[in-house]
Amino acid sequence: MKDMPTKERILYAALDLFAQKGYDGVGVDLIAENAGLKGPSLYRHYKGKEDIFNSLIDLVDSHYEEGFGFRQKPYELPKSIDELIEQAMRKIKFTMHDDMIQKTRRILAMEQFRSKRTAELASRYHLEKLQGMYTGIFQDLMKNGILKMDDPEILALEFVSPVSMLIHMYDRQPEREEEIMDQIKKHFEHFAKVYGENG
């Protein structure tokens, strides 16, 4: 972290602290200290805690878009149901194990009732963007005869909602990862059996 530019160092220090203590439990002086700065020098880079929080959310948003593949358009289209499941499992592993994304989920869970922007981000990350991405993928899979014709938006909701719930369970009980990954895989296999053209 020492080699990072100061602005980034502040954001990563804030990420760790907000994930541990919540927004209200962290002061600017503590963020500065954890970033290796004296309190007043932090104000050369950010106006205050809310500015740090908003800049952190922007950083995470960019990281998530890049890592999850939301920026890739058209989306990488699977050529079979098996490939759909493999791709989805890769994305879930990224979501579960990426340090920044894990900490951000914790922050969003704590802060969604404090800030309208955070509430909107929680809804966007946990469901809306995923549903939107899979709606587009499922439309193409239906056209290509890989999925049965149905309402792609509802299928996308059905595909991602249980996964979101299980990832939150993993956040609370990481020791259950193997069991949770097994449940997610079974969910996808059941989805393939019901909606796959050969199901």
Side-chain angles (χ1 to χ4, degrees):
M1 198 153 112
K2 283 181 181 175
D3 299 334
M4 271 183 205
T6 305
K7 281 189 83 144
E8 273 185 54
R9 224 167 56 234
I10 292 166
L11 294 183
Y12 280 94
L15 175 69
D16 288 341
L17 290 166
F18 289 147
Q20 290 165 27
K21 300 171 182 284
Y23 181 87
D24 290 334
V26 176
V28 170
D29 287 343
L30 186 57
I31 295 170
E33 182 187 324
N34 278 27
L37 304 167
K38 296 208 184 301
S41 63
L42 183 142
Y43 290 100
R44 283 188 224 133
H45 305 281
Y46 297 99
K47 293 173 192 163
K49 188 165 74 163
E50 193 66 26
D51 188 25
I52 292 168
F53 185 80
N54 287 328
S55 297
L56 175 61
I57 293 301
D58 291 341
L59 175 70
V60 170
D61 197 23
S62 177
H63 177 73
Y64 191 60
E65 294 259 335
E66 188 68 40
F68 204 81
F70 287 126
R71 287 190 179 158
Q72 181 186 336
K73 287 181 183 164
Y75 299 117
E76 184 186 352
L77 195 63
K79 295 174 183 64
S80 67
I81 287 284
D82 288 342
E83 199 175 309
L84 170 70
I85 293 171
E86 283 168 27
Q87 284 179 9
M89 292 301 287
R90 274 198 313 274
K91 289 179 189 301
I92 287 160
K93 285 175 185 164
F94 165 75
T95 301
M96 286 170 71
H97 296 138
D98 184 89
D99 188 56
M100 182 182 276
I101 300 303
Q102 262 189 329
K103 287 174 182 171
T104 302
R105 272 199 309 276
R106 241 176 273 147
I107 293 167
L108 292 178
M110 287 188 276
E111 301 305 321
Q112 61 188 317
F113 302 105
R114 181 191 68 82
S115 148
K116 186 176 179 201
R117 181 179 184 208
T118 310
E120 287 166 357
L121 281 171
S123 296
R124 202 166 100 211
Y125 286 140
H126 298 158
L127 183 62
E128 290 163 6
K129 285 193 81 116
L130 292 169
Q131 185 184 10
M133 181 180 80
Y134 281 108
T135 296
I137 289 172
F138 290 170
Q139 283 172 333
D140 287 337
L141 293 182
M142 286 174 198
K143 282 181 204 161
N144 295 345
I146 293 169
L147 280 184
K148 292 176 182 170
M149 295 303 289
D150 208 313
D151 183 329
E153 200 171 334
I154 295 299
L155 289 195
L157 183 64
E158 198 173 312
F159 191 72
V160 301
S161 294
V163 175
S164 183
M165 182 194 73
L166 287 164
I167 288 173
H168 285 293
M169 185 187 294
Y170 163 76
D171 288 340
R172 291 186 298 272
Q173 298 173 290
E175 70 279 3
R176 294 179 66 186
E177 178 178 357
E178 192 176 332
E179 172 197 347
I180 286 165
M181 290 302 285
D182 187 52
Q183 284 184 314
I184 291 171
K185 186 95 186 290
K186 283 178 180 168
H187 161 62
F188 287 155
E189 287 167 352
H190 178 74
F191 181 92
K193 188 175 169 185
V194 172
Y195 296 111
E197 197 51 81
N198 299 320

